[in-house]
PDB file of all heavy atoms in Angstrom:
ATOM      1  N   PRO A 249       0.818  -1.217   0.000  1.00 96.00           N
ATOM      2  CA  PRO A 249       0.000   0.000   0.000  1.00 96.00           C
ATOM      3  C   PRO A 249       0.842   1.253   0.000  1.00 96.00           C
ATOM      4  O   PRO A 249       2.028   1.232   0.328  1.00 96.00           O
ATOM      5  CB  PRO A 249      -0.803  -0.130   1.307  1.00 96.00           C
ATOM      6  CG  PRO A 249       0.075  -0.948   2.199  1.00 96.00           C
ATOM      7  CD  PRO A 249       0.792  -1.914   1.300  1.00 96.00           C
ATOM      8  N   LEU A 250       0.202   2.347  -0.381  1.00 96.00           N
ATOM      9  CA  LEU A 250       0.826   3.658  -0.313  1.00 96.00           C
ATOM     10  C   LEU A 250      -0.127   4.589   0.424  1.00 96.00           C
ATOM     11  O   LEU A 250      -1.307   4.708   0.049  1.00 96.00           O
ATOM     12  CB  LEU A 250       1.111   4.199  -1.719  1.00 96.00           C
ATOM     13  CG  LEU A 250       1.774   5.574  -1.786  1.00 96.00           C
ATOM     14  CD1 LEU A 250       3.200   5.504  -1.256  1.00 96.00           C
ATOM     15  CD2 LEU A 250       1.767   6.107  -3.219  1.00 96.00           C
ATOM     16  N   GLN A 251       0.386   5.229   1.463  1.00 93.00           N
ATOM     17  CA  GLN A 251      -0.471   6.102   2.267  1.00 93.00           C
ATOM     18  C   GLN A 251      -0.994   7.261   1.430  1.00 93.00           C
ATOM     19  O   GLN A 251      -0.293   7.813   0.599  1.00 93.00           O
ATOM     20  CB  GLN A 251       0.307   6.639   3.471  1.00 93.00           C
ATOM     21  CG  GLN A 251       0.819   5.562   4.411  1.00 93.00           C
ATOM     22  CD  GLN A 251       2.236   5.139   4.060  1.00 93.00           C
ATOM     23  OE1 GLN A 251       2.663   5.224   2.909  1.00 93.00           O
ATOM     24  NE2 GLN A 251       2.958   4.675   5.064  1.00 93.00           N
ATOM     25  N   ARG A 252      -2.236   7.633   1.695  1.00 94.00           N
ATOM     26  CA  ARG A 252      -2.869   8.720   0.968  1.00 94.00           C
ATOM     27  C   ARG A 252      -2.094  10.018   1.127  1.00 94.00           C
ATOM     28  O   ARG A 252      -1.959  10.805   0.176  1.00 94.00           O
ATOM     29  CB  ARG A 252      -4.313   8.919   1.470  1.00 94.00           C
ATOM     30  CG  ARG A 252      -5.062  10.029   0.749  1.00 94.00           C
ATOM     31  CD  ARG A 252      -5.371   9.636  -0.669  1.00 94.00           C
ATOM     32  NE  ARG A 252      -5.814  10.756  -1.470  1.00 94.00           N
ATOM     33  CZ  ARG A 252      -6.387  10.650  -2.661  1.00 94.00           C
ATOM     34  NH1 ARG A 252      -6.580   9.445  -3.185  1.00 94.00           N
ATOM     35  NH2 ARG A 252      -6.747  11.707  -3.344  1.00 94.00           N
ATOM     36  N   GLU A 253      -1.549  10.247   2.316  1.00 94.00           N
ATOM     37  CA  GLU A 253      -0.815  11.505   2.542  1.00 94.00           C
ATOM     38  C   GLU A 253       0.420  11.599   1.649  1.00 94.00           C
ATOM     39  O   GLU A 253       0.799  12.695   1.220  1.00 94.00           O
ATOM     40  CB  GLU A 253      -0.417  11.627   4.012  1.00 94.00           C
ATOM     41  CG  GLU A 253       0.511  10.536   4.503  1.00 94.00           C
ATOM     42  CD  GLU A 253       0.827  10.654   5.970  1.00 94.00           C
ATOM     43  OE1 GLU A 253       1.420  11.678   6.368  1.00 94.00           O
ATOM     44  OE2 GLU A 253       0.487   9.729   6.728  1.00 94.00           O
ATOM     45  N   MET A 254       1.034  10.444   1.337  1.00 96.00           N
ATOM     46  CA  MET A 254       2.185  10.469   0.453  1.00 96.00           C
ATOM     47  C   MET A 254       1.752  10.621  -1.003  1.00 96.00           C
ATOM     48  O   MET A 254       2.412  11.313  -1.786  1.00 96.00           O
ATOM     49  CB  MET A 254       3.028   9.208   0.635  1.00 96.00           C
ATOM     50  CG  MET A 254       3.651   9.090   2.022  1.00 96.00           C
ATOM     51  SD  MET A 254       4.561  10.591   2.530  1.00 96.00           S
ATOM     52  CE  MET A 254       5.882  10.614   1.315  1.00 96.00           C
ATOM     53  N   GLU A 255       0.653  10.010  -1.381  1.00 97.00           N
ATOM     54  CA  GLU A 255       0.142  10.201  -2.737  1.00 97.00           C
ATOM     55  C   GLU A 255      -0.195  11.671  -2.973  1.00 97.00           C
ATOM     56  O   GLU A 255       0.077  12.207  -4.066  1.00 97.00           O
ATOM     57  CB  GLU A 255      -1.092   9.333  -2.956  1.00 97.00           C
ATOM     58  CG  GLU A 255      -1.645   9.439  -4.362  1.00 97.00           C
ATOM     59  CD  GLU A 255      -2.841   8.548  -4.610  1.00 97.00           C
ATOM     60  OE1 GLU A 255      -3.073   7.627  -3.808  1.00 97.00           O
ATOM     61  OE2 GLU A 255      -3.551   8.776  -5.620  1.00 97.00           O
ATOM     62  N   ASP A 256      -0.740  12.327  -1.969  1.00 97.00           N
ATOM     63  CA  ASP A 256      -1.094  13.739  -2.113  1.00 97.00           C
ATOM     64  C   ASP A 256       0.135  14.625  -2.305  1.00 97.00           C
ATOM     65  O   ASP A 256       0.024  15.737  -2.834  1.00 97.00           O
ATOM     66  CB  ASP A 256      -1.873  14.209  -0.880  1.00 97.00           C
ATOM     67  CG  ASP A 256      -3.273  13.613  -0.800  1.00 97.00           C
ATOM     68  OD1 ASP A 256      -3.758  13.091  -1.823  1.00 97.00           O
ATOM     69  OD2 ASP A 256      -3.860  13.651   0.292  1.00 97.00           O
ATOM     70  N   GLU A 257       1.302  14.133  -1.867  1.00 98.00           N
ATOM     71  CA  GLU A 257       2.526  14.927  -1.975  1.00 98.00           C
ATOM     72  C   GLU A 257       3.341  14.599  -3.222  1.00 98.00           C
ATOM     73  O   GLU A 257       4.467  15.101  -3.373  1.00 98.00           O
ATOM     74  CB  GLU A 257       3.393  14.737  -0.730  1.00 98.00           C
ATOM     75  CG  GLU A 257       2.823  15.346   0.537  1.00 98.00           C
ATOM     76  CD  GLU A 257       2.786  16.872   0.508  1.00 98.00           C
ATOM     77  OE1 GLU A 257       3.407  17.482  -0.401  1.00 98.00           O
ATOM     78  OE2 GLU A 257       2.136  17.457   1.398  1.00 98.00           O
ATOM     79  N   ILE A 258       2.806  13.816  -4.126  1.00 98.00           N
ATOM     80  CA  ILE A 258       3.547  13.499  -5.354  1.00 98.00           C
ATOM     81  C   ILE A 258       3.998  14.772  -6.080  1.00 98.00           C
ATOM     82  O   ILE A 258       5.151  14.856  -6.526  1.00 98.00           O
ATOM     83  CB  ILE A 258       2.716  12.581  -6.271  1.00 98.00           C
ATOM     84  CG1 ILE A 258       2.667  11.167  -5.670  1.00 98.00           C
ATOM     85  CG2 ILE A 258       3.299  12.534  -7.684  1.00 98.00           C
ATOM     86  CD1 ILE A 258       1.730  10.222  -6.396  1.00 98.00           C
ATOM     87  N   PRO A 259       3.149  15.804  -6.220  1.00 98.00           N
ATOM     88  CA  PRO A 259       3.627  17.039  -6.869  1.00 98.00           C
ATOM     89  C   PRO A 259       4.838  17.660  -6.166  1.00 98.00           C
ATOM     90  O   PRO A 259       5.713  18.242  -6.822  1.00 98.00           O
ATOM     91  CB  PRO A 259       2.410  17.964  -6.811  1.00 98.00           C
ATOM     92  CG  PRO A 259       1.237  17.034  -6.743  1.00 98.00           C
ATOM     93  CD  PRO A 259       1.705  15.888  -5.909  1.00 98.00           C
ATOM     94  N   THR A 260       4.892  17.534  -4.836  1.00 98.00           N
ATOM     95  CA  THR A 260       6.034  18.070  -4.094  1.00 98.00           C
ATOM     96  C   THR A 260       7.318  17.368  -4.512  1.00 98.00           C
ATOM     97  O   THR A 260       8.357  18.011  -4.746  1.00 98.00           O
ATOM     98  CB  THR A 260       5.801  17.910  -2.582  1.00 98.00           C
ATOM     99  OG1 THR A 260       4.678  18.721  -2.200  1.00 98.00           O
ATOM    100  CG2 THR A 260       7.029  18.322  -1.777  1.00 98.00           C
ATOM    101  N   PHE A 261       7.258  16.054  -4.636  1.00 98.00           N
ATOM    102  CA  PHE A 261       8.467  15.314  -4.983  1.00 98.00           C
ATOM    103  C   PHE A 261       8.820  15.460  -6.461  1.00 98.00           C
ATOM    104  O   PHE A 261      10.006  15.420  -6.820  1.00 98.00           O
ATOM    105  CB  PHE A 261       8.311  13.853  -4.570  1.00 98.00           C
ATOM    106  CG  PHE A 261       8.363  13.692  -3.078  1.00 98.00           C
ATOM    107  CD1 PHE A 261       7.201  13.648  -2.334  1.00 98.00           C
ATOM    108  CD2 PHE A 261       9.583  13.675  -2.421  1.00 98.00           C
ATOM    109  CE1 PHE A 261       7.243  13.549  -0.954  1.00 98.00           C
ATOM    110  CE2 PHE A 261       9.638  13.582  -1.041  1.00 98.00           C
ATOM    111  CZ  PHE A 261       8.469  13.520  -0.302  1.00 98.00           C
ATOM    112  N   ILE A 262       7.826  15.682  -7.299  1.00 98.00           N
ATOM    113  CA  ILE A 262       8.127  15.986  -8.701  1.00 98.00           C
ATOM    114  C   ILE A 262       8.914  17.288  -8.793  1.00 98.00           C
ATOM    115  O   ILE A 262       9.899  17.394  -9.537  1.00 98.00           O
ATOM    116  CB  ILE A 262       6.829  16.056  -9.528  1.00 98.00           C
ATOM    117  CG1 ILE A 262       6.241  14.646  -9.694  1.00 98.00           C
ATOM    118  CG2 ILE A 262       7.085  16.696 -10.894  1.00 98.00           C
ATOM    119  CD1 ILE A 262       4.896  14.625 -10.395  1.00 98.00           C
ATOM    120  N   MET A 263       8.524  18.285  -8.019  1.00 98.00           N
ATOM    121  CA  MET A 263       9.243  19.557  -8.047  1.00 98.00           C
ATOM    122  C   MET A 263      10.617  19.449  -7.384  1.00 98.00           C
ATOM    123  O   MET A 263      11.574  20.084  -7.827  1.00 98.00           O
ATOM    124  CB  MET A 263       8.419  20.661  -7.382  1.00 98.00           C
ATOM    125  CG  MET A 263       7.169  21.057  -8.155  1.00 98.00           C
ATOM    126  SD  MET A 263       7.457  21.382  -9.928  1.00 98.00           S
ATOM    127  CE  MET A 263       8.751  22.615  -9.899  1.00 98.00           C
ATOM    128  N   LEU A 264      10.719  18.632  -6.332  1.00 98.00           N
ATOM    129  CA  LEU A 264      12.031  18.415  -5.719  1.00 98.00           C
ATOM    130  C   LEU A 264      12.986  17.818  -6.744  1.00 98.00           C
ATOM    131  O   LEU A 264      14.136  18.263  -6.886  1.00 98.00           O
ATOM    132  CB  LEU A 264      11.891  17.486  -4.513  1.00 98.00           C
ATOM    133  CG  LEU A 264      13.202  17.104  -3.810  1.00 98.00           C
ATOM    134  CD1 LEU A 264      13.842  18.325  -3.165  1.00 98.00           C
ATOM    135  CD2 LEU A 264      12.955  16.007  -2.771  1.00 98.00           C
ATOM    136  N   ARG A 265      12.523  16.819  -7.486  1.00 98.00           N
ATOM    137  CA  ARG A 265      13.365  16.201  -8.506  1.00 98.00           C
ATOM    138  C   ARG A 265      13.707  17.191  -9.615  1.00 98.00           C
ATOM    139  O   ARG A 265      14.839  17.242 -10.094  1.00 98.00           O
ATOM    140  CB  ARG A 265      12.650  14.986  -9.095  1.00 98.00           C
ATOM    141  CG  ARG A 265      13.390  14.325 -10.254  1.00 98.00           C
ATOM    142  CD  ARG A 265      14.723  13.750  -9.817  1.00 98.00           C
ATOM    143  NE  ARG A 265      15.383  13.064 -10.927  1.00 98.00           N
ATOM    144  CZ  ARG A 265      16.453  12.294 -10.803  1.00 98.00           C
ATOM    145  NH1 ARG A 265      16.996  12.120  -9.620  1.00 98.00           N
ATOM    146  NH2 ARG A 265      16.979  11.709 -11.856  1.00 98.00           N
ATOM    147  N   ARG A 266      12.738  17.990 -10.018  1.00 98.00           N
ATOM    148  CA  ARG A 266      12.990  18.961 -11.083  1.00 98.00           C
ATOM    149  C   ARG A 266      14.089  19.939 -10.660  1.00 98.00           C
ATOM    150  O   ARG A 266      14.961  20.305 -11.467  1.00 98.00           O
ATOM    151  CB  ARG A 266      11.697  19.706 -11.407  1.00 98.00           C
ATOM    152  CG  ARG A 266      11.828  20.696 -12.551  1.00 98.00           C
ATOM    153  CD  ARG A 266      11.792  20.042 -13.907  1.00 98.00           C
ATOM    154  NE  ARG A 266      11.862  21.033 -14.983  1.00 98.00           N
ATOM    155  CZ  ARG A 266      11.470  20.827 -16.231  1.00 98.00           C
ATOM    156  NH1 ARG A 266      10.977  19.650 -16.569  1.00 98.00           N
ATOM    157  NH2 ARG A 266      11.567  21.769 -17.144  1.00 98.00           N
ATOM    158  N   MET A 267      14.057  20.365  -9.417  1.00 98.00           N
ATOM    159  CA  MET A 267      15.095  21.279  -8.939  1.00 98.00           C
ATOM    160  C   MET A 267      16.459  20.594  -8.883  1.00 98.00           C
ATOM    161  O   MET A 267      17.490  21.211  -9.168  1.00 98.00           O
ATOM    162  CB  MET A 267      14.708  21.827  -7.569  1.00 98.00           C
ATOM    163  CG  MET A 267      13.505  22.767  -7.602  1.00 98.00           C
ATOM    164  SD  MET A 267      13.839  24.258  -8.576  1.00 98.00           S
ATOM    165  CE  MET A 267      14.981  25.098  -7.483  1.00 98.00           C
ATOM    166  N   LEU A 268      16.484  19.325  -8.533  1.00 97.00           N
ATOM    167  CA  LEU A 268      17.717  18.563  -8.586  1.00 97.00           C
ATOM    168  C   LEU A 268      18.275  18.529 -10.011  1.00 97.00           C
ATOM    169  O   LEU A 268      19.492  18.625 -10.229  1.00 97.00           O
ATOM    170  CB  LEU A 268      17.478  17.138  -8.096  1.00 97.00           C
ATOM    171  CG  LEU A 268      17.722  16.856  -6.613  1.00 97.00           C
ATOM    172  CD1 LEU A 268      17.067  15.536  -6.211  1.00 97.00           C
ATOM    173  CD2 LEU A 268      19.208  16.813  -6.316  1.00 97.00           C
ATOM    174  N   GLU A 269      17.382  18.399 -10.978  1.00 97.00           N
ATOM    175  CA  GLU A 269      17.803  18.357 -12.378  1.00 97.00           C
ATOM    176  C   GLU A 269      18.371  19.700 -12.831  1.00 97.00           C
ATOM    177  O   GLU A 269      19.352  19.742 -13.584  1.00 97.00           O
ATOM    178  CB  GLU A 269      16.627  17.932 -13.263  1.00 97.00           C
ATOM    179  CG  GLU A 269      16.224  16.488 -13.053  1.00 97.00           C
ATOM    180  CD  GLU A 269      14.855  16.160 -13.610  1.00 97.00           C
ATOM    181  OE1 GLU A 269      14.188  17.054 -14.153  1.00 97.00           O
ATOM    182  OE2 GLU A 269      14.450  14.992 -13.473  1.00 97.00           O
ATOM    183  N   VAL A 270      17.767  20.797 -12.373  1.00 97.00           N
ATOM    184  CA  VAL A 270      18.317  22.119 -12.697  1.00 97.00           C
ATOM    185  C   VAL A 270      19.750  22.218 -12.181  1.00 97.00           C
ATOM    186  O   VAL A 270      20.656  22.696 -12.881  1.00 97.00           O
ATOM    187  CB  VAL A 270      17.441  23.233 -12.083  1.00 97.00           C
ATOM    188  CG1 VAL A 270      18.129  24.589 -12.193  1.00 97.00           C
ATOM    189  CG2 VAL A 270      16.072  23.284 -12.774  1.00 97.00           C
ATOM    190  N   ALA A 271      19.965  21.755 -10.952  1.00 96.00           N
ATOM    191  CA  ALA A 271      21.313  21.788 -10.379  1.00 96.00           C
ATOM    192  C   ALA A 271      22.265  20.888 -11.158  1.00 96.00           C
ATOM    193  O   ALA A 271      23.397  21.277 -11.475  1.00 96.00           O
ATOM    194  CB  ALA A 271      21.257  21.361  -8.912  1.00 96.00           C
ATOM    195  N   TRP A 272      21.820  19.685 -11.463  1.00 94.00           N
ATOM    196  CA  TRP A 272      22.671  18.705 -12.163  1.00 94.00           C
ATOM    197  C   TRP A 272      23.091  19.226 -13.532  1.00 94.00           C
ATOM    198  O   TRP A 272      24.264  19.156 -13.901  1.00 94.00           O
ATOM    199  CB  TRP A 272      21.914  17.391 -12.297  1.00 94.00           C
ATOM    200  CG  TRP A 272      22.745  16.243 -12.778  1.00 94.00           C
ATOM    201  CD1 TRP A 272      23.442  15.360 -12.018  1.00 94.00           C
ATOM    202  CD2 TRP A 272      22.945  15.856 -14.147  1.00 94.00           C
ATOM    203  NE1 TRP A 272      24.078  14.448 -12.827  1.00 94.00           N
ATOM    204  CE2 TRP A 272      23.793  14.716 -14.138  1.00 94.00           C
ATOM    205  CE3 TRP A 272      22.500  16.345 -15.373  1.00 94.00           C
ATOM    206  CZ2 TRP A 272      24.197  14.077 -15.304  1.00 94.00           C
ATOM    207  CZ3 TRP A 272      22.905  15.704 -16.544  1.00 94.00           C
ATOM    208  CH2 TRP A 272      23.735  14.589 -16.492  1.00 94.00           C
ATOM    209  N   LEU A 273      22.136  19.780 -14.270  1.00 95.00           N
ATOM    210  CA  LEU A 273      22.456  20.312 -15.599  1.00 95.00           C
ATOM    211  C   LEU A 273      23.416  21.488 -15.505  1.00 95.00           C
ATOM    212  O   LEU A 273      24.329  21.636 -16.327  1.00 95.00           O
ATOM    213  CB  LEU A 273      21.168  20.730 -16.312  1.00 95.00           C
ATOM    214  CG  LEU A 273      20.205  19.607 -16.699  1.00 95.00           C
ATOM    215  CD1 LEU A 273      18.878  20.192 -17.166  1.00 95.00           C
ATOM    216  CD2 LEU A 273      20.796  18.714 -17.781  1.00 95.00           C
ATOM    217  N   GLY A 274      23.224  22.334 -14.501  1.00 92.00           N
ATOM    218  CA  GLY A 274      24.070  23.516 -14.373  1.00 92.00           C
ATOM    219  C   GLY A 274      25.510  23.202 -14.063  1.00 92.00           C
ATOM    220  O   GLY A 274      26.425  23.911 -14.505  1.00 92.00           O
ATOM    221  N   THR A 275      25.740  22.145 -13.308  1.00 89.00           N
ATOM    222  CA  THR A 275      27.116  21.793 -12.944  1.00 89.00           C
ATOM    223  C   THR A 275      27.737  20.802 -13.924  1.00 89.00           C
ATOM    224  O   THR A 275      28.894  20.403 -13.729  1.00 89.00           O
ATOM    225  CB  THR A 275      27.156  21.209 -11.523  1.00 89.00           C
ATOM    226  OG1 THR A 275      26.241  20.108 -11.429  1.00 89.00           O
ATOM    227  CG2 THR A 275      26.782  22.267 -10.498  1.00 89.00           C
ATOM    228  N   ARG A 276      27.003  20.445 -14.950  1.00 84.00           N
ATOM    229  CA  ARG A 276      27.522  19.508 -15.960  1.00 84.00           C
ATOM    230  C   ARG A 276      27.259  20.051 -17.365  1.00 84.00           C
ATOM    231  O   ARG A 276      26.807  19.360 -18.264  1.00 84.00           O
ATOM    232  CB  ARG A 276      26.898  18.133 -15.764  1.00 84.00           C
ATOM    233  CG  ARG A 276      27.400  17.461 -14.472  1.00 84.00           C
ATOM    234  CD  ARG A 276      26.382  16.532 -13.875  1.00 84.00           C
ATOM    235  NE  ARG A 276      26.850  15.968 -12.615  1.00 84.00           N
ATOM    236  CZ  ARG A 276      26.698  16.549 -11.426  1.00 84.00           C
ATOM    237  NH1 ARG A 276      26.118  17.739 -11.342  1.00 84.00           N
ATOM    238  NH2 ARG A 276      27.134  15.980 -10.325  1.00 84.00           N
ATOM    239  N   ARG A 277      27.563  21.326 -17.513  1.00 85.00           N
ATOM    240  CA  ARG A 277      27.303  22.013 -18.779  1.00 85.00           C
ATOM    241  C   ARG A 277      28.109  21.438 -19.936  1.00 85.00           C
ATOM    242  O   ARG A 277      27.778  21.661 -21.094  1.00 85.00           O
ATOM    243  CB  ARG A 277      27.626  23.501 -18.641  1.00 85.00           C
ATOM    244  CG  ARG A 277      26.769  24.232 -17.631  1.00 85.00           C
ATOM    245  CD  ARG A 277      27.339  25.605 -17.312  1.00 85.00           C
ATOM    246  NE  ARG A 277      26.600  26.254 -16.237  1.00 85.00           N
ATOM    247  CZ  ARG A 277      25.774  27.272 -16.409  1.00 85.00           C
ATOM    248  NH1 ARG A 277      25.578  27.766 -17.627  1.00 85.00           N
ATOM    249  NH2 ARG A 277      25.137  27.813 -15.379  1.00 85.00           N
ATOM    250  N   HIS A 278      29.181  20.731 -19.623  1.00 78.00           N
ATOM    251  CA  HIS A 278      30.040  20.197 -20.679  1.00 78.00           C
ATOM    252  C   HIS A 278      29.398  19.020 -21.404  1.00 78.00           C
ATOM    253  O   HIS A 278      29.823  18.652 -22.497  1.00 78.00           O
ATOM    254  CB  HIS A 278      31.379  19.750 -20.091  1.00 78.00           C
ATOM    255  CG  HIS A 278      31.247  18.630 -19.093  1.00 78.00           C
ATOM    256  ND1 HIS A 278      30.806  18.827 -17.803  1.00 78.00           N
ATOM    257  CD2 HIS A 278      31.502  17.294 -19.205  1.00 78.00           C
ATOM    258  CE1 HIS A 278      30.797  17.682 -17.166  1.00 78.00           C
ATOM    259  NE2 HIS A 278      31.210  16.728 -17.982  1.00 78.00           N
ATOM    260  N   LEU A 279      28.354  18.418 -20.802  1.00 79.00           N
ATOM    261  CA  LEU A 279      27.743  17.237 -21.415  1.00 79.00           C
ATOM    262  C   LEU A 279      26.839  17.644 -22.578  1.00 79.00           C
ATOM    263  O   LEU A 279      26.110  18.638 -22.506  1.00 79.00           O
ATOM    264  CB  LEU A 279      26.924  16.460 -20.383  1.00 79.00           C
ATOM    265  CG  LEU A 279      27.696  15.841 -19.211  1.00 79.00           C
ATOM    266  CD1 LEU A 279      26.739  15.156 -18.263  1.00 79.00           C
ATOM    267  CD2 LEU A 279      28.754  14.869 -19.710  1.00 79.00           C
ATOM    268  N   GLU A 280      26.854  16.851 -23.619  1.00 82.00           N
ATOM    269  CA  GLU A 280      26.002  17.101 -24.776  1.00 82.00           C
ATOM    270  C   GLU A 280      24.531  17.098 -24.372  1.00 82.00           C
ATOM    271  O   GLU A 280      23.728  17.900 -24.860  1.00 82.00           O
ATOM    272  CB  GLU A 280      26.273  16.041 -25.834  1.00 82.00           C
ATOM    273  CG  GLU A 280      25.551  16.255 -27.154  1.00 82.00           C
ATOM    274  CD  GLU A 280      25.918  15.215 -28.190  1.00 82.00           C
ATOM    275  OE1 GLU A 280      26.992  14.592 -28.065  1.00 82.00           O
ATOM    276  OE2 GLU A 280      25.123  15.008 -29.119  1.00 82.00           O
ATOM    277  N   PHE A 281      24.160  16.205 -23.446  1.00 84.00           N
ATOM    278  CA  PHE A 281      22.775  16.128 -22.970  1.00 84.00           C
ATOM    279  C   PHE A 281      22.353  17.453 -22.325  1.00 84.00           C
ATOM    280  O   PHE A 281      21.270  17.984 -22.608  1.00 84.00           O
ATOM    281  CB  PHE A 281      22.639  14.983 -21.973  1.00 84.00           C
ATOM    282  CG  PHE A 281      21.264  14.830 -21.389  1.00 84.00           C
ATOM    283  CD1 PHE A 281      20.258  14.206 -22.105  1.00 84.00           C
ATOM    284  CD2 PHE A 281      20.976  15.326 -20.119  1.00 84.00           C
ATOM    285  CE1 PHE A 281      18.982  14.062 -21.559  1.00 84.00           C
ATOM    286  CE2 PHE A 281      19.715  15.196 -19.579  1.00 84.00           C
ATOM    287  CZ  PHE A 281      18.714  14.561 -20.300  1.00 84.00           C
ATOM    288  N   SER A 282      23.203  17.994 -21.473  1.00 85.00           N
ATOM    289  CA  SER A 282      22.892  19.255 -20.797  1.00 85.00           C
ATOM    290  C   SER A 282      22.763  20.395 -21.792  1.00 85.00           C
ATOM    291  O   SER A 282      21.838  21.223 -21.710  1.00 85.00           O
ATOM    292  CB  SER A 282      23.976  19.584 -19.776  1.00 85.00           C
ATOM    293  OG  SER A 282      24.107  18.553 -18.819  1.00 85.00           O
ATOM    294  N   GLN A 283      23.666  20.447 -22.729  1.00 87.00           N
ATOM    295  CA  GLN A 283      23.637  21.507 -23.728  1.00 87.00           C
ATOM    296  C   GLN A 283      22.377  21.436 -24.587  1.00 87.00           C
ATOM    297  O   GLN A 283      21.845  22.470 -25.010  1.00 87.00           O
ATOM    298  CB  GLN A 283      24.890  21.422 -24.592  1.00 87.00           C
ATOM    299  CG  GLN A 283      26.172  21.714 -23.833  1.00 87.00           C
ATOM    300  CD  GLN A 283      27.423  21.286 -24.575  1.00 87.00           C
ATOM    301  OE1 GLN A 283      27.353  20.865 -25.725  1.00 87.00           O
ATOM    302  NE2 GLN A 283      28.575  21.389 -23.925  1.00 87.00           N
ATOM    303  N   GLY A 284      21.883  20.233 -24.810  1.00 89.00           N
ATOM    304  CA  GLY A 284      20.667  20.076 -25.599  1.00 89.00           C
ATOM    305  C   GLY A 284      19.438  20.649 -24.914  1.00 89.00           C
ATOM    306  O   GLY A 284      18.528  21.157 -25.572  1.00 89.00           O
ATOM    307  N   LEU A 285      19.394  20.571 -23.587  1.00 91.00           N
ATOM    308  CA  LEU A 285      18.255  21.121 -22.845  1.00 91.00           C
ATOM    309  C   LEU A 285      18.416  22.621 -22.601  1.00 91.00           C
ATOM    310  O   LEU A 285      17.460  23.383 -22.726  1.00 91.00           O
ATOM    311  CB  LEU A 285      18.106  20.376 -21.515  1.00 91.00           C
ATOM    312  CG  LEU A 285      17.667  18.919 -21.628  1.00 91.00           C
ATOM    313  CD1 LEU A 285      17.698  18.242 -20.264  1.00 91.00           C
ATOM    314  CD2 LEU A 285      16.270  18.813 -22.226  1.00 91.00           C
ATOM    315  N   GLY A 286      19.608  23.022 -22.229  1.00 88.00           N
ATOM    316  CA  GLY A 286      19.931  24.434 -22.108  1.00 88.00           C
ATOM    317  C   GLY A 286      19.052  25.209 -21.147  1.00 88.00           C
ATOM    318  O   GLY A 286      18.435  24.670 -20.223  1.00 88.00           O
ATOM    319  N   THR A 287      18.968  26.532 -21.390  1.00 94.00           N
ATOM    320  CA  THR A 287      18.208  27.412 -20.501  1.00 94.00           C
ATOM    321  C   THR A 287      16.712  27.160 -20.576  1.00 94.00           C
ATOM    322  O   THR A 287      15.976  27.508 -19.644  1.00 94.00           O
ATOM    323  CB  THR A 287      18.485  28.879 -20.849  1.00 94.00           C
ATOM    324  OG1 THR A 287      18.085  29.128 -22.197  1.00 94.00           O
ATOM    325  CG2 THR A 287      19.959  29.203 -20.690  1.00 94.00           C
ATOM    326  N   GLY A 288      16.249  26.538 -21.660  1.00 96.00           N
ATOM    327  CA  GLY A 288      14.826  26.246 -21.779  1.00 96.00           C
ATOM    328  C   GLY A 288      14.320  25.351 -20.670  1.00 96.00           C
ATOM    329  O   GLY A 288      13.143  25.430 -20.292  1.00 96.00           O
ATOM    330  N   PHE A 289      15.200  24.508 -20.141  1.00 97.00           N
ATOM    331  CA  PHE A 289      14.783  23.621 -19.052  1.00 97.00           C
ATOM    332  C   PHE A 289      14.455  24.429 -17.804  1.00 97.00           C
ATOM    333  O   PHE A 289      13.477  24.142 -17.101  1.00 97.00           O
ATOM    334  CB  PHE A 289      15.880  22.601 -18.754  1.00 97.00           C
ATOM    335  CG  PHE A 289      15.452  21.522 -17.798  1.00 97.00           C
ATOM    336  CD1 PHE A 289      14.730  20.438 -18.256  1.00 97.00           C
ATOM    337  CD2 PHE A 289      15.778  21.595 -16.453  1.00 97.00           C
ATOM    338  CE1 PHE A 289      14.324  19.436 -17.374  1.00 97.00           C
ATOM    339  CE2 PHE A 289      15.379  20.605 -15.568  1.00 97.00           C
ATOM    340  CZ  PHE A 289      14.648  19.521 -16.035  1.00 97.00           C
TER     341      PHE A 289
END
C-alpha cells in the first residue's frame, strides 16, 4: 500500500526532482545532454 498523505505529496516530490535536475544540468554544462536542454529547461 501507499499512504494517501504520500500520494497527495507526489507534486512536491516531482518539483524536488525537477530542482535537482536544474542543479545537475548547471554543474555539468560540458555534457552534450545538458547543452541540448539548455536554458529552456
Side-chain angles (χ1 to χ4, degrees):
L250 180 68
Q251 299 93 332
R252 181 70 193 193
E253 62 183 298
M254 296 309 296
E255 182 178 344
D256 290 344
E257 291 292 348
I258 287 173
T260 295
F261 288 95
I262 289 175
M263 292 311 305
L264 177 66
R265 175 64 177 191
R266 183 79 178 201
M267 292 297 289
L268 267 164
E269 291 164 359
V270 170
W272 190 90
L273 293 170
T275 54
R276 291 150 183 87
R277 297 167 186 253
H278 63 283
L279 296 178
E280 186 177 338
F281 179 79
S282 302
Q283 294 165 6
L285 292 174
T287 60
F289 189 82

